[in-house]
Amino acid sequence: MCRSIKTLRPPFQEIVTEEDVQAAALQYVRKISGFRAPAAHNSEAFDKAVAAVAAATAELLSTLQVRR
Protein backbone atom coordinates (compact mmCIF):
# COMPACT_ATOMS: atom_id res chain seq x y z
CA MET A 1 0.00 0.00 0.00
CA CYS A 2 2.45 2.70 1.12
CA ARG A 3 5.44 1.42 -0.76
CA SER A 4 7.58 4.48 -0.21
CA ILE A 5 7.39 4.29 3.59
CA LYS A 6 10.72 2.81 4.62
CA THR A 7 11.09 0.03 7.15
CA LEU A 8 12.04 1.53 10.48
CA ARG A 9 13.40 -1.50 12.31
CA PRO A 10 16.80 -3.14 12.39
CA PRO A 11 18.51 -4.39 10.29
CA PHE A 12 16.92 -2.08 7.72
CA GLN A 13 17.36 1.03 9.84
CA GLU A 14 19.73 1.03 12.82
CA ILE A 15 18.87 4.52 14.07
CA VAL A 16 15.28 5.75 13.91
CA THR A 17 14.63 9.38 14.72
CA GLU A 18 11.39 10.97 15.86
CA GLU A 19 11.34 12.71 12.48
CA ASP A 20 11.42 9.31 10.73
CA VAL A 21 8.44 8.14 12.77
CA GLN A 22 6.52 11.39 12.16
CA ALA A 23 7.21 11.28 8.41
CA ALA A 24 6.00 7.69 8.16
CA ALA A 25 2.87 8.49 10.18
CA LEU A 26 2.10 11.53 8.03
CA GLN A 27 2.54 9.57 4.84
CA TYR A 28 0.30 6.77 6.13
CA VAL A 29 -2.50 9.17 7.13
CA ARG A 30 -2.22 10.97 3.78
CA LYS A 31 -2.57 7.67 1.95
CA ILE A 32 -5.52 6.45 4.04
CA SER A 33 -7.39 9.77 3.97
CA GLY A 34 -6.64 10.61 0.35
CA PHE A 35 -5.60 14.13 1.37
CA ARG A 36 -2.13 15.57 1.00
CA ALA A 37 -3.23 18.48 3.15
CA PRO A 38 -6.68 18.43 4.74
CA ALA A 39 -9.20 21.25 4.52
CA ALA A 40 -9.36 23.49 7.58
CA HIS A 41 -12.45 21.70 8.92
CA ASN A 42 -10.58 18.36 8.82
CA SER A 43 -7.17 19.48 10.04
CA GLU A 44 -7.74 18.65 13.71
CA ALA A 45 -8.84 15.09 12.91
CA PHE A 46 -5.93 14.71 10.47
CA ASP A 47 -3.37 15.96 13.00
CA LYS A 48 -4.79 13.71 15.74
CA ALA A 49 -4.55 10.71 13.41
CA VAL A 50 -0.91 11.50 12.58
CA ALA A 51 -0.10 11.78 16.30
CA ALA A 52 -1.88 8.50 17.09
CA VAL A 53 -0.11 6.62 14.29
CA ALA A 54 3.25 8.07 15.32
CA ALA A 55 2.66 7.02 18.93
CA ALA A 56 1.63 3.50 17.90
CA THR A 57 4.67 3.27 15.64
CA ALA A 58 7.05 4.38 18.39
CA GLU A 59 5.50 1.87 20.81
CA LEU A 60 5.77 -0.94 18.28
CA LEU A 61 9.40 -0.17 17.47
CA SER A 62 10.32 0.01 21.16
CA THR A 63 8.84 -3.40 21.91
CA LEU A 64 9.88 -5.42 18.85
CA GLN A 65 12.51 -8.06 19.39
CA VAL A 66 14.59 -8.53 16.26
CA ARG A 67 16.59 -11.72 16.00
CA ARG A 68 19.92 -11.45 14.27
Side-chain angles (χ1 to χ4, degrees), residues 8-10 55-67:
L8 297 180
R9 67 165 180 81
T57 300
E59 181 180 348
L60 172 66
L61 292 174
S62 72
T63 59
L64 283 178
Q65 295 179 11
V66 179
R67 294 183 181 178

Side-chain angles (χ1 to χ4, degrees), residues 37-56:
H41 63 277
N42 287 326
S43 64
E44 183 178 349
F46 190 90
D47 293 342
K48 285 175 71 174
V50 172
V53 170

Side-chain angles (χ1 to χ4, degrees), residues 8-27:
L8 297 180
R9 67 165 180 81
F12 302 100
Q13 191 79 2
E14 288 299 324
I15 298 173
V16 178
T17 66
E18 187 175 326
E19 290 81 21
D20 293 330
V21 172
Q22 284 292 329
L26 177 59
Q27 189 169 10

Side-chain angles (χ1 to χ4, degrees), residues 2 5 7-8 24 29 35 38-41 50-51 54 57-58 64 68:
C2 295
I5 295 177
T7 302
L8 297 180
V29 172
F35 297 119
H41 63 277
V50 172
T57 300
L64 283 178
R68 293 184 183 192

